Amino acid sequence: WVLPSVGRVSIYADEGSPMYPRLGPYFSDGRRRVDYVLTYHIQKPSSTGHRSSKVTETNFIRRLRRSLSMRGSKAPLQPKDDPEIVAQEQQGSYHEDDKRFRREEFEENLLDMGLEMEKDEQVGIIGFLKIHAPWNILCREAEFMKLKMPTKKVFHLSGSLNLEKIRLFIHKVTGPLHPKVDDNQPQHIKSLSHPFSREKQHLTRCTKAKYSMGKVYIFNIRHKLLGLYLKLQCSFLTGITSLLANGVYAAAYPLHDLLYEQWASYSVFYKYQPIGLIRKYFGEKVGLYFAWLGVYTQMLIPASIVGVIVFLYGCATVDDNIPSMEICDPRNNITMCPLCDHACSYWKLMTACGTARASHLFDNPATVFFSVFMALWAVLFMEHWKRRQMRLNYVWDLTGFGEEEEDHNRAEYEVRVMQKSTKKEHSLPQVQQTAVTTLYLRRPAHRWWVGRITATFAIVFGVILYRISIKTALHVSTYPAARSNVRATVKTTAAIIYLIIIIVLDEIYAAVARWLTTLEVPKTDKSFEERLIFKTFILKFVNAFTPIVYLAFFRGRLVGRPGKYLYVVGSYRMEECAHAGCLMELCIQLCITMLGKQLIQNNLFEIGIPKLKKLLQRKKSELDPKQQEELNKSLQAYEKDHILCPFIGINPEYMEMIIQFGMVTLFVASFPLAPLFALLNNIIEIRLDAKKFVMELRRPIAAKAKDIGIWYNLLRGLSKLAVIVNAFVIAFTSDFIPRLVYQYTYSPDGTMHGFINHSLSYFNVSDFEPGTDPVEPLNLGYKVEICRFKDFREPPWSSSPYDLAKVFWVVLAARLAFVIVFQNVVMLMSDFMDWLIPDIPKDISLQMHKEKILMVELFMKEEQGKRLSARDNHDHDYGNAPSANISPPQPRSRQANCY
């Protein structure tokens, strides 16, 4: 099978194929498409042998090809989606002779399966094995996999007349938002689909003639790649994953072909995504991710509008807020107790005017409404996605698909079971060999779980000590600017430190979660993926939300009182909230964390790091831009794809959005602008991910899936948790309940006048513990005898000084009652909406029923046609002419286009 052109080997099923050399994803005959590519390193011969006449590249091209081939064959340890990445879980090594023998054996097996191959070794450093699956092989695999194929029979997706008019009107109005892609058939028309059978191949819309002419993407691209990959995998010992792990092959990947202008370009950010083409190109698993991301982004639009309205309401009413006016009124002349021991002195409440006014923007009656709205929004989002997912399942012919069909035992699991079985055979009696498959190492995993979460709490505690110490240092500073901006400096710097720690620990926790999952040796690919996702989510969720939870529910509640403060690590006094509460600081932390993760971790890293790598690669290759352009034009399609990074899967993309969903829903009571920031980020994120998938990563194996898997359960859990969290934020973090109790219980005129004085307790400065009184007691210009602090306690002149007052227990009871009522009312409304909205759209259920009836009619007509044909042949054999009123059966047309 060696061709005269040296350096290129071709293995043909059809020896008469003409040769048409051509750049692109084709064999050298210019007809057969390259379905899959395997690359391998070529060992330099020890003696002078036959050299290709085509290897006449200049030195700079040769150097660049060498560097690019080395770059393309190495990949970081990442989630399992690319065969090259999978192989890194089971490292091994062979000698060069063994590698060559293994390759020859593997290629002979592929030949026996009916695949066609062509080798290209003209680069001189790395070889390419191009693989093509012929028509008969694809038909066999499609029948084995029970792939649903479109038949020639089509039907109209009819619904109610009014609904169709509304849809048509919406489609016309949103016409400019639809991408300009070629649809094979109108949206209101669908082909009947049926599991492929070679006996009924004439009923489908795909033909061998059109496939040979290159006019169809046989059985849809995703099915082709999936079937071919299953063939290459063969078994866990001789499959492509094992060969990649042992260095027999350097990389394995399909080729890129389309999808940029109407999807991956930033200029079309305002348009809908071509979900159908994405699914055909990448498979259902990736298609569902981008469909889910599109639905999530669309649903953020109404949430953003309502959030902005709530924020504007706070801005409009800030001047009418009586508690803020009382704090800012200099006539009240309220002297507050020191914020720290010894170094801090007394201060006027009026100095907290700016913080109080800013807190009203996020702590007002509209906040409660927005929390209820976002809880119902989360339910509507989940229900909308379920219906959208069911519609996609129907359109993509996945209604009868079971994911267990795609789940296979992991190669590492099979190897470990075999190794353990071998050890048991030599160490245990025959009767005890039933427990050889117990491969889970639970104790180390549990210890690591506790250790990682404890480390997160320890880091948060360290930042708390930083806040306490830096606050004291700024108060004793000799710079007036530092002393006047203590709160702003501490809040901002602490939030930035938290952000840096979160970004660093996210990368560490991803590796830890993968290591823990590998220790457990899950049996199947699905089990491995679900365990990895769950561990990664728990670690990253705790990492991102621990500082926010501390600010929301713990800071300012474990403080004590003047004269009897609570201390940690010796002399560090626990922090207390500002008079306006911790809600403003919670908002700052949430804002910096959310924006920082989106701008730095999600966008800057995804854009900046690939560009930096390309820049370093260009400098390393020592090429100027003209030489680089010349080289890019000379590279074949499979060489260009080899340079790209391996596909690391969509789990990191999901993880970003799930954490963002938590930021949007869990503490939205303190930050109503969170949906707006998420919306702006996601508009960029969609095109950024699209560009990365098309331009920077190798094309993945098309994986089938009927839903988003464990991610839906995580989303549903977060939406339930959001109701509880927001109830506690409103009740315990904000001043909404104390204000409500005062207005309807203690206010003499039913207004908020006097609330500030009501919420402050008295303290006699003579009751300070020794060494904790201010070092400068006269900094206000007069001697202070009584100072105020925020709490509900008895005054020093009462019979039980500084004990919790009756109003404290009244407010606490009101807080708990609000949590119970809020949670139950919102949960009831959510369950009612869940019950009211059906998971399956009515028109889809009717169309599914209609399709089943039409499919039965199609096969009944097919059988009737066969009987008529058989009778006509029988009459012809006996010399009987067909009846004049019976028309002969029409020949079956195979000219319909395949989608």
Side-chain angles (χ1 to χ4, degrees):
W1 13 291
V2 180
L3 294 178
S5 57
V6 185
R8 178 165 297 176
V9 179
S10 184
I11 309 168
Y12 289 116
D14 182 8
E15 297 293 343
S17 298
M19 302 293 293
Y20 297 110
R22 167 181 179 178
L23 290 175
Y26 292 90
F27 277 19
S28 55
D29 61 3
R31 292 185 177 182
R32 292 171 295 172
R33 295 184 61 86
V34 177
D35 299 327
Y36 209 79
V37 176
L38 302 178
T39 66
Y40 53 92
H41 295 289
I42 301 175
Q43 186 182 17
K44 293 183 179 180
S46 56
S47 60
T48 305
H50 186 73
R51 301 181 65 183
S52 171
S53 59
K54 296 186 68 175
V55 186
T56 58
E57 300 168 326
T58 61
N59 289 333
F60 76 88
I61 292 182
R62 190 172 301 168
R63 288 198 306 271
L64 183 63
R65 288 186 187 274
R66 182 183 291 110
S67 63
L68 294 182
S69 64
M70 293 176 64
R71 175 192 171 202
S73 61
K74 296 180 181 179
L77 191 62
Q78 294 288 352
K80 183 184 96 58
D81 277 275
D82 189 280
E84 184 178 339
I85 296 177
V86 180
Q88 296 181 12
E89 297 176 11
Q90 35 177 338
Q91 296 290 329
S93 61
Y94 287 147
H95 294 294
E96 291 300 327
D97 292 339
D98 293 333
K99 292 179 182 179
R100 185 171 61 254
F101 174 76
R102 282 276 189 160
R103 284 198 297 269
E104 292 175 355
E105 182 182 25
F106 181 68
E107 290 163 11
E108 288 178 1
N109 291 335
L110 296 185
L111 278 175
D112 294 338
M113 294 177 187
L115 299 179
E116 301 175 9
M117 295 175 287
E118 181 179 83
K119 284 186 177 180
D120 189 353
E121 299 181 351
Q122 61 176 332
V123 177
I125 297 171
I126 191 165
F128 295 87
L129 177 65
K130 297 173 284 185
I131 302 175
H132 170 78
W135 175 260
N136 58 331
I137 298 300
L138 293 173
C139 291
R140 185 181 67 194
E141 290 302 309
E143 185 173 10
F144 174 75
M145 297 169 62
K146 299 180 181 179
L147 295 179
K148 280 191 174 182
M149 300 297 301
T151 64
K152 298 176 183 178
K153 180 68 174 179
V154 297
F155 68 100
H156 292 269
L157 302 176
S158 58
S160 64
L161 184 60
N162 293 332
L163 185 61
E164 288 297 324
K165 290 182 178 179
I166 294 175
R167 286 182 180 176
L168 184 60
F169 174 75
I170 294 176
H171 189 270
K172 288 183 178 180
V173 172
T174 60
L177 303 180
H178 292 278
K180 297 179 181 179
V181 295
D182 295 330
D183 293 330
N184 293 309
Q185 58 188 21
Q187 293 183 353
H188 62 280
I189 293 178
K190 185 180 183 298
S191 299
L192 291 176
S193 298
H194 189 267
F196 181 80
S197 172
R198 282 176 285 185
E199 294 181 357
K200 302 185 182 300
Q201 179 180 336
H202 58 278
L203 296 178
T204 64
R205 304 174 65 198
C206 298
T207 66
K208 182 177 180 180
K210 290 184 175 294
Y211 168 54
S212 301
M213 295 171 63
K215 292 185 178 180
V216 296
Y217 275 153
I218 39 97
F219 300 110
N220 209 316
I221 300 173
R222 67 195 187 283
H223 294 149
K224 177 180 182 180
L225 298 180
L226 178 59
L228 184 58
Y229 178 69
L230 292 177
K231 277 215 157 295
L232 292 174
Q233 196 56 33
C234 296
S235 69
F236 70 92
L237 289 177
T238 60
I240 187 60
T241 302
S242 177
L243 296 178
L244 285 168
N246 292 290
V248 177
Y249 288 101
Y253 53 91
L255 298 183
H256 280 291
D257 196 23
L258 68 151
L259 268 185
Y260 179 78
E261 292 183 358
Q262 294 300 322
W263 183 44
S265 176
Y266 291 109
S267 61
V268 293
F269 72 92
Y270 60 93
K271 291 189 176 183
Y272 297 123
Q273 300 180 86
I275 296 298
L277 284 183
I278 298 172
R279 170 251 184 172
K280 291 180 181 180
Y281 191 73
F282 290 107
E284 285 81 0
K285 193 171 185 179
V286 176
L288 282 173
Y289 163 71
F290 283 102
W292 173 84
L293 183 56
V295 170
Y296 173 48
T297 304
Q298 289 178 359
M299 289 294 293
L300 282 173
I301 296 176
S304 302
I305 295 174
V306 177
V308 171
I309 293 174
V310 170
F311 179 76
L312 293 178
Y313 171 82
C315 295
T317 58
V318 67
D319 293 331
D320 301 328
N321 184 39
I322 295 176
S324 299
M325 294 169 60
E326 290 184 348
I327 293 175
C328 298
D329 191 351
R331 294 174 296 178
N332 289 330
N333 195 30
I334 299 176
T335 303
M336 303 296 294
C337 295
L339 297 175
C340 63
D341 292 342
H342 201 59
C344 303
S345 187
Y346 307 104
W347 57 286
K348 291 291 186 180
L349 181 60
M350 184 182 63
T351 59
C353 176
T355 304
R357 290 173 61 87
S359 296
H360 178 73
L361 303 179
F362 307 98
D363 186 7
N364 53 69
T367 302
V368 181
F369 161 76
F370 191 57
S371 300
V372 176
F373 172 81
M374 288 303 296
L376 299 179
W377 173 88
V379 176
L380 283 174
F381 165 61
M382 302 300 293
E383 292 300 316
H384 180 38
W385 168 245
K386 282 195 296 186
R387 292 169 62 86
R388 171 67 170 162
Q389 184 174 262
M390 181 55 65
R391 192 176 296 276
L392 291 177
N393 283 339
Y394 174 68
V395 175
W396 293 353
D397 297 321
L398 295 173
T399 50
F401 170 71
E403 293 193 359
E404 61 275 2
E405 301 173 9
E406 298 289 314
D407 204 14
H408 309 282
N409 286 355
R410 299 175 62 240
E412 186 181 11
Y413 175 84
E414 299 283 0
V415 172
R416 291 288 294 274
V417 168
M418 186 174 61
Q419 291 175 349
K420 206 161 190 179
S421 301
T422 305
K423 291 181 181 179
K424 291 284 184 178
E425 289 176 359
H426 296 287
S427 60
L428 295 178
Q430 187 70 22
V431 182
Q432 300 180 0
Q433 291 182 15
T434 58
V436 295
T437 57
T438 305
L439 301 177
Y440 302 98
L441 308 177
R442 293 186 177 89
R443 289 184 180 178
H446 289 176
R447 286 199 296 267
W448 269 92
W449 269 103
V450 175
R452 293 305 93 197
I453 295 178
T454 303
T456 301
F457 291 147
I459 291 172
V460 172
F461 184 72
V463 179
I464 294 173
L465 296 183
Y466 158 81
R467 296 164 63 101
I468 297 172
S469 58
I470 197 66
K471 182 186 295 183
T472 304
L474 291 175
H475 274 290
V476 300
S477 174
T478 58
Y479 296 99
R483 298 183 63 178
S484 62
N485 297 300
V486 173
R487 288 187 179 276
T489 303
V490 173
K491 291 176 184 178
T492 306
T493 55
I496 294 175
I497 291 174
Y498 274 131
L499 174 62
I500 296 173
I501 292 174
I502 288 172
I503 292 175
V504 173
L505 287 183
D506 268 356
E507 302 302 320
I508 298 175
Y509 284 162
V512 169
R514 186 170 185 81
W515 178 73
L516 292 176
T517 309
T518 305
L519 279 182
E520 296 178 356
V521 196
K523 182 177 181 180
T524 63
D525 294 335
K526 182 179 180 181
S527 176
F528 181 91
E529 184 179 37
E530 289 183 349
R531 294 185 186 196
L532 176 62
I533 290 172
F534 183 74
K535 290 179 177 61
T536 307
F537 170 76
I538 292 296
L539 291 174
K540 290 193 174 186
F541 181 84
V542 171
N543 181 40
F545 287 94
T546 298
I548 298 174
V549 170
Y550 163 73
L551 291 174
F553 303 124
F554 294 98
R555 188 185 174 191
R557 286 161 182 80
L558 304 174
V559 177
R561 61 169 178 81
K564 197 176 181 180
Y565 284 113
L566 178 64
Y567 295 89
V568 293
V569 193
S571 60
Y572 286 94
R573 192 177 109 186
M574 288 298 292
E575 296 179 285
E576 55 184 303
C577 295
H579 179 77
C582 285
L583 200 66
M584 184 62 190
E585 193 161 349
L586 174 63
C587 176
I588 293 174
Q589 179 67 55
L590 189 62
C591 179
I592 292 179
T593 302
M594 186 174 181
L595 292 179
K597 281 179 65 67
Q598 291 179 351
L599 295 178
I600 298 175
Q601 192 174 25
N602 298 353
N603 294 334
L604 184 61
F605 283 3
E606 292 185 11
I607 297 175
I609 291 181
K611 290 187 178 297
L612 182 60
K613 287 182 178 179
K614 290 181 180 180
L615 181 62
L616 294 176
Q617 193 67 36
R618 288 177 181 177
K619 290 184 177 181
K620 196 174 181 180
S621 63
E622 301 178 357
L623 297 180
D624 57 39
K626 291 184 179 180
Q627 292 174 329
Q628 182 75 33
E629 184 178 357
E630 179 184 349
L631 176 62
N632 290 335
K633 291 180 180 180
S634 66
L635 291 177
Q636 299 269 0
Y638 47 85
E639 293 180 86
K640 294 178 180 178
D641 282 13
H642 179 71
I643 297 171
L644 303 178
C645 297
F647 181 74
I648 62 175
I650 57 175
N651 290 339
E653 314 300 334
Y654 268 120
M655 192 65 66
E656 294 175 11
M657 294 297 105
I658 296 297
I659 297 297
Q660 182 200 87
F661 182 81
M663 296 279 184
V664 169
T665 56
L666 289 180
F667 294 92
V668 73
S670 62
F671 190 35
L673 294 181
L676 177 63
F677 291 158
L679 173 63
L680 298 177
N681 173 80
N682 289 3
I683 291 174
I684 301 174
E685 183 73 18
I686 291 177
R687 308 303 164 177
L688 181 63
D689 287 346
K691 189 173 182 179
K692 180 173 66 175
F693 278 40
V694 173
M695 304 293 293
E696 298 175 5
L697 299 177
R698 293 176 189 160
R699 186 175 174 185
I701 303 300
K704 295 186 70 175
K706 65 184 303 182
D707 53 40
I708 59 176
I710 191 175
W711 299 110
Y712 180 82
N713 297 329
L714 296 178
L715 284 168
R716 193 169 185 84
L718 285 177
S719 62
K720 298 291 185 182
L721 182 62
V723 178
I724 303 173
V725 170
N726 282 295
F728 275 93
V729 168
I730 295 172
F732 288 91
T733 308
S734 73
D735 280 342
F736 177 76
I737 298 300
R739 292 173 182 174
L740 211 61
V741 170
Y742 173 77
Q743 183 175 0
Y744 292 100
T745 305
Y746 296 99
S747 176
D749 55 358
T751 65
M752 290 301 297
H753 289 287
F755 172 74
I756 296 300
N757 185 66
H758 171 79
S759 63
L760 295 176
S761 298
Y762 295 87
F763 178 75
N764 193 330
V765 298
S766 61
D767 295 332
F768 273 122
E769 292 183 353
T772 62
D773 55 321
V775 68
E776 297 180 1
L778 301 176
N779 72 312
L780 295 180
Y782 57 89
K783 184 179 179 180
V784 177
E785 296 182 355
I786 297 293
C787 64
R788 311 290 295 274
F789 64 99
K790 187 178 181 181
D791 205 347
F792 296 107
R793 292 183 179 269
E794 297 291 344
W797 52 81
S798 68
S799 58
S800 54
Y802 307 126
D803 285 349
L804 293 174
K806 178 184 176 181
V807 65
F808 172 84
W809 302 108
V810 173
V811 172
L812 179 61
R815 292 180 194 268
L816 296 176
F818 175 82
V819 169
I820 295 173
V821 173
F822 182 90
Q823 176 183 343
N824 284 277
V825 169
V826 175
M827 288 288 189
L828 182 63
M829 296 173 64
S830 301
D831 292 340
F832 176 74
M833 293 178 63
D834 191 2
W835 170 81
L836 187 65
I837 303 174
D839 295 344
I840 303 178
K842 186 176 180 180
D843 59 327
I844 294 297
S845 59
L846 293 175
Q847 289 162 10
M848 291 171 62
H849 180 68
K850 179 180 179 180
E851 185 172 357
K852 290 180 181 179
I853 296 176
L854 291 176
M855 185 61 66
V856 172
E857 293 179 355
L858 176 65
F859 282 102
M860 289 181 64
K861 289 181 180 179
E862 171 69 14
E863 293 298 325
Q864 184 180 7
K866 287 183 178 179
R867 289 196 299 267
L868 289 175
S869 179
R871 190 184 67 180
D872 291 343
N873 292 336
H874 180 271
D875 293 342
H876 179 74
D877 292 339
Y878 284 89
N880 296 327
S883 177
N885 57 358
I886 298 179
S887 60
Q890 299 296 323
R892 301 180 183 93
S893 173
R894 299 189 181 184
Q895 301 303 317
N897 291 328
C898 176
Y899 85 121

